[in-house]
Amino acid sequence: MAKLNYVFTSESVSEGHPDKVCDRISDAIVDLFLGAEPLARVAVETLTTTNLIVLAGEVRGPASITKAKIEEVARHAVKDIGYEQDGFHWAKAEVQVHVHNQSADIAVGVDAAGNKDEGAGDQGIMFGYACNETPVLMPAPIYYSHNILQSLAEARHSGASPGLGPDSKSQVTLQYENGKPVRATSVVVSTQHAENLSQEEVREIVRPHVLNVLPKGWMCPEETFYVNPTGRFVIGGPDGDSGLTGRKIIVDTYGGAAPHGGGAFSGKDPTKVDRSAAYASRYLAKNVVAAGLADRCTIQLAYAIGVSKPLSVYIDTHGTGTVDEDKLSLVLQRLVDLSPRGIRTHLGLNKPIYARTAAYGHFGRMPDADGGFSWEKTDLVDDLKSALGL
């Protein structure tokens, strides 16, 4: 029997967190290649530390995309985040580009040829999840954690809070009663700040952002509202701690409220099922919940490198479903081709839409007019109900 009364915590990190800087750079490079060639292949990782950016990986794309162009895109990403600090500066940091052509062995397994359909770019398992705790059908703790940091970032970029730095983290703990979130029991926000600001001043800068994000009456007690608990956070970003692409995968997804397959998203083109199949499984799960077929839905997809069709499609509605899960699985597979090519075509993934995903979660976002966050659409609802005779 599912536990109904409990507390649950999720964290988020901002666009200026060292790992998220790396995700942003890697995804900006994915966009660079897909903008020039929609079928380009990209797998690029980034490492950052004090005034150093190191890029490594494999690509297949136009010769016009030179190392100099890749470096330019990396610097622009850092500038857009807002790093102009002595220890990490978009213009002054050294950028090393160690990017080579994609392995021919991988290309043979993945590319379509003759009667062979395009295969998955790697083996692996991917999970999607949705629940009815929030309007965007995301778990509430990660949803509010993201929104607090987005609010702070907007204030920083607009100039409304010039004392804030790019690097920040949040953590929200919610009380659940009868399986539903009802209030925050604690909120933690750590944010980089100007030298001249005291801990109490930073606390009062942060407070309205938390109050505005949480539902009315949900604010935690004052004694469990923690802002910069160590008292000082002036040195931050890659100068304070090294960063790596793909090191915040739980922040990227469901905040620990659902399983994760283990593969990172950022820096990968959509032939990599780590990314595209995770988006597809979220898309399917969200449409199941949006259709009123379950309060919660977890979907797992599994793939083998070079094989086009998923090896398994697993659905769990956690005892909240209104239709048979096996039947639901068959209907979803009829509605959406879950081969790598089918997913990319259905969701329109071969576009430069990925830099925007690098911070504040890949899920629970509003679909963009240019195709960004297409996996957040609920356009399968009517087809699902019709196929199930509802």
Side-chain angles (χ1 to χ4, degrees):
M1 181 178 294
K3 192 173 183 179
L4 296 177
N5 300 314
Y6 56 93
V7 293
F8 192 84
T9 304
S10 294
E11 71 157 345
S12 181
V13 298
S14 73
E15 65 201 66
H17 184 279
D19 297 327
K20 282 290 147 198
V21 172
C22 294
D23 286 345
R24 173 66 173 274
I25 293 170
S26 292
D27 274 339
I29 293 167
V30 172
D31 284 354
L32 171 67
F33 275 87
L34 293 181
E37 170 49 64
L39 297 180
R41 302 291 170 81
V42 187
V44 172
E45 316 292 337
T46 305
L47 175 147
T48 57
T49 186
T50 303
N51 272 331
L52 177 64
I53 300 168
V54 180
L55 307 173
E58 56 180 32
V59 297
R60 190 172 77 195
S64 59
I65 300 180
T66 62
K67 288 187 175 183
K69 185 62 177 176
I70 292 172
E71 177 180 338
E72 178 186 343
V73 166
R75 290 189 186 279
H76 178 77
V78 175
K79 182 180 181 181
D80 195 54
I81 292 168
Y83 274 110
E84 295 187 342
Q85 302 171 359
D86 289 342
F88 195 70
H89 194 293
W90 68 270
K92 299 176 182 177
E94 178 187 356
V95 179
Q96 298 179 10
V97 181
H98 304 282
V99 175
H100 57 83
N101 290 332
Q102 183 188 54
S103 161
D105 290 346
I106 291 177
V108 167
V110 174
D111 290 350
N115 294 325
K116 173 185 173 293
D117 193 9
E118 178 184 293
D122 202 353
Q123 71 175 46
I125 57 174
M126 298 83 207
F127 286 94
Y129 180 74
C131 62
N132 59 9
E133 293 179 11
T134 59
V136 294
L137 305 184
M138 284 288 286
I142 189 68
Y143 174 73
Y144 295 122
S145 294
H146 285 325
N147 286 353
I148 289 168
L149 295 186
Q150 281 186 290
S151 182
L152 287 168
E154 288 166 6
R156 176 174 62 85
H157 283 296
S158 71
S161 296
L164 297 179
D167 192 0
S168 59
K169 303 176 75 171
S170 64
Q171 186 169 282
V172 174
T173 302
L174 297 183
Q175 176 71 51
Y176 282 72
E177 295 179 0
N178 295 318
K180 299 294 183 182
V182 295
R183 72 183 71 88
T185 60
S186 68
V187 175
V188 184
V189 178
S190 296
T191 181
Q192 191 180 14
H193 59 88
E195 178 88 40
N196 62 337
L197 289 178
S198 68
Q199 182 183 21
E200 189 56 34
E201 286 172 322
V202 175
R203 182 186 185 89
E204 295 314 309
I205 291 171
V206 168
R207 184 187 300 275
H209 295 277
V210 177
L211 289 171
N212 289 338
V213 163
L214 292 176
K216 187 175 181 180
W218 278 37
M219 184 62 177
C220 65
E222 189 66 16
E223 61 269 22
T224 55
F225 176 42
Y226 303 99
V227 177
N228 287 4
T230 62
R232 177 181 167 87
F233 188 2
V234 174
I235 299 172
D239 187 30
D241 191 9
S242 62
L244 290 170
T245 300
R247 201 159 57 175
K248 286 290 178 286
I249 58 177
I250 302 303
V251 170
D252 286 341
T253 54
Y254 308 102
H260 193 292
F265 305 155
S266 291
K268 298 174 182 177
D269 74 76
T271 65
K272 280 72 172 174
V273 284
D274 275 346
R275 179 165 225 158
S276 56
Y279 290 171
S281 54
R282 160 64 179 175
Y283 173 65
L284 297 179
K286 185 174 184 179
N287 275 272
V288 167
V289 175
L293 304 177
D295 293 337
R296 298 169 57 205
C297 181
T298 299
I299 294 181
Q300 184 206 57
L301 304 177
Y303 292 85
I305 188 168
V307 179
S308 63
K309 294 295 184 181
L311 307 183
S312 65
V313 179
Y314 165 84
I315 299 179
D316 183 3
T317 54
H318 307 277
T320 70
T322 60
V323 297
D324 179 76
E325 290 166 346
D326 291 336
K327 183 178 181 180
L328 183 58
S329 175
L330 292 174
V331 167
L332 289 172
Q333 291 178 73
R334 286 202 300 268
L335 292 177
V336 180
D337 178 358
L338 293 174
S339 68
R341 186 204 300 270
I343 292 170
R344 294 199 336 271
T345 300
H346 189 96
L347 296 178
L349 299 182
N350 285 105
K351 299 175 182 176
I353 55 174
Y354 297 106
R356 70 193 75 171
T357 70
Y360 313 117
H362 291 245
F363 308 126
R365 311 284 288 273
M366 294 301 295
D368 294 324
D370 66 353
F373 300 106
S374 59
W375 49 93
E376 291 297 308
K377 292 181 179 179
T378 53
D379 55 356
L380 285 183
V381 166
D382 290 342
D383 289 340
L384 262 175
K385 290 180 177 179
S386 176
L388 291 165
L390 300 176

